[in-house]
């Protein structure tokens, strides 16, 4: 703390989050503390210190972080990712697992709907595009199976489920869905079918 006071006395203002671990009957807590110099005749004559309890905010942030971590883990186990498309700009937001399914490094890569369509197998693009456009007519859950080709040339089969959301004027503005890698399941189904043929 001595260093902090010296910084303020030299004319600097700054904030610091302070964590207090649980002790005896007291629970853990966080505080947001700001230090500001007090001037008189252009000289620092004191320090103004303000403290704000941010424990509830920090607990809420930690819960969100844990929930996001659990969701990421669950998606990885199920080989299922999530996505959201802005139907006005066609910008797409993919979860980490969706990027993994498509075998794309998300760092510095901004996906949009035309980019996604480029990954769809050429023989499946018409049915995917038709299914997506037809989904603009209702707010029910839609589903389709189709193939994709990763940047490395690997063919996969995915199952997409999504719902379209509309504004007050009834215009489709957003689509939210999931993408699950069902490649292994489809291979097993094909092998079972061939065994009985």
């Amino acid at each position: 703390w001595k260093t902090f006071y010296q910084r303020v006395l030299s004319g600097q203002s700054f904030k610091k989050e302070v964590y207090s671990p649980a002790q005896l009957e007291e629970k853990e807590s966080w505080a947001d503390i700001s230090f500001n110099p007090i001037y008189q005749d252009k000289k620092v004559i004191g320090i103004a210190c303000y403290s704000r309890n941010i424990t509830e905010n920090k607990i809420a942030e930690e819960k969100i972080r844990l929930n996001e971590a659990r969701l990421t883990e669950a998606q990885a186990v199920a080989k299922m990712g999530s996505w959201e498309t802005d139907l006005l700009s066609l910008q797409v937001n993919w979860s980490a697992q969706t990027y993994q399914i498509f075998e794309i490094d998300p760092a510095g890569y901004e996906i949009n709907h035309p980019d996604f369509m480029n990954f769809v197998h050429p023989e499946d693009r018409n049915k995917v595009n038709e299914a997506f456009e037809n989904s603009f007519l209702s707010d029910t859950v839609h589903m389709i199976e189709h193939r994709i080709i990763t940047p490395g040339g690997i063919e996969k089969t995915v199952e997409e489920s999504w719902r379209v959301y509309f504004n007050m004027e009834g215009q489709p503005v957003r689509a939210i869905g999931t993408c699950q890698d069902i490649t292994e399941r489809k291979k097993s189904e094909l092998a079972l079918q061939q065994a009985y043929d």
Side-chain angles (χ1 to χ4, degrees):
W1 290 99
K2 183 178 180 180
T3 302
F4 297 146
Y5 292 139
Q6 289 174 341
R7 288 173 57 185
V8 179
L9 291 173
S10 68
Q12 297 182 44
S13 295
F14 67 93
K15 289 185 178 182
K16 178 178 177 61
E17 282 190 6
V18 177
Y19 170 69
S20 299
Q23 294 181 354
L24 299 179
E25 296 182 359
E26 294 183 3
K27 297 182 179 179
E28 60 181 356
S29 63
W30 286 263
D32 185 7
I33 303 176
S34 62
F35 301 85
N36 301 281
I38 300 173
Y39 290 91
Q40 183 175 336
D41 297 329
K42 298 183 180 181
K43 293 183 179 181
V44 179
I45 62 170
I47 299 173
C49 180
Y50 302 95
S51 177
R52 182 169 61 98
N53 189 318
I54 58 172
T55 302
E56 290 186 5
N57 291 343
K58 297 297 287 187
I59 291 175
E61 289 174 3
E62 180 64 11
K63 286 182 178 179
I64 291 173
R65 188 192 67 78
L66 288 174
N67 287 338
E68 289 178 346
R70 291 189 185 107
L71 176 60
T72 298
E73 184 176 350
Q75 287 187 349
V77 171
K79 292 186 177 181
M80 177 183 290
S82 57
W83 55 266
E84 180 175 345
T85 301
D86 182 330
L87 299 178
L88 301 180
S89 67
L90 292 182
Q91 288 300 118
V92 179
N93 182 26
W94 278 358
S95 70
Q97 184 59 30
T98 303
Y99 276 102
Q100 189 167 335
I101 291 171
F102 281 74
E103 299 184 9
I104 298 173
D105 183 358
Y109 194 99
E110 292 187 8
I111 192 79
N112 57 40
H113 188 69
D115 290 335
F116 156 72
M117 290 300 297
N118 287 334
F119 293 118
V120 175
H121 193 290
E123 295 178 5
D124 292 349
R125 285 176 188 166
N126 285 339
K127 76 171 185 178
V128 170
N129 191 54
E130 183 178 346
F132 194 56
E133 291 183 353
N134 287 341
S135 70
F136 300 166
L137 304 176
S138 68
D139 63 353
T140 58
V141 175
H142 303 269
M143 184 179 297
I144 189 173
E145 290 183 7
H146 65 86
R147 292 165 293 172
I148 63 171
I149 299 178
T150 70
I154 298 174
E155 181 179 310
K156 296 182 178 182
T157 303
V158 298
E159 181 180 83
E160 307 259 11
S161 300
W162 74 97
R163 169 172 278 168
V164 174
Y165 294 84
F166 302 80
N167 61 16
M168 297 297 291
E169 288 73 39
Q171 299 172 319
V173 294
R174 195 167 50 128
I176 298 178
T178 59
C179 174
Q180 184 172 21
D181 183 354
I182 59 170
T183 305
E184 295 306 317
R185 189 182 83 191
K186 298 301 288 187
K187 287 181 179 179
S188 298
E189 290 174 357
L190 180 60
L192 187 61
Q193 180 180 346
Q194 291 174 341
Y196 283 94
D197 287 345

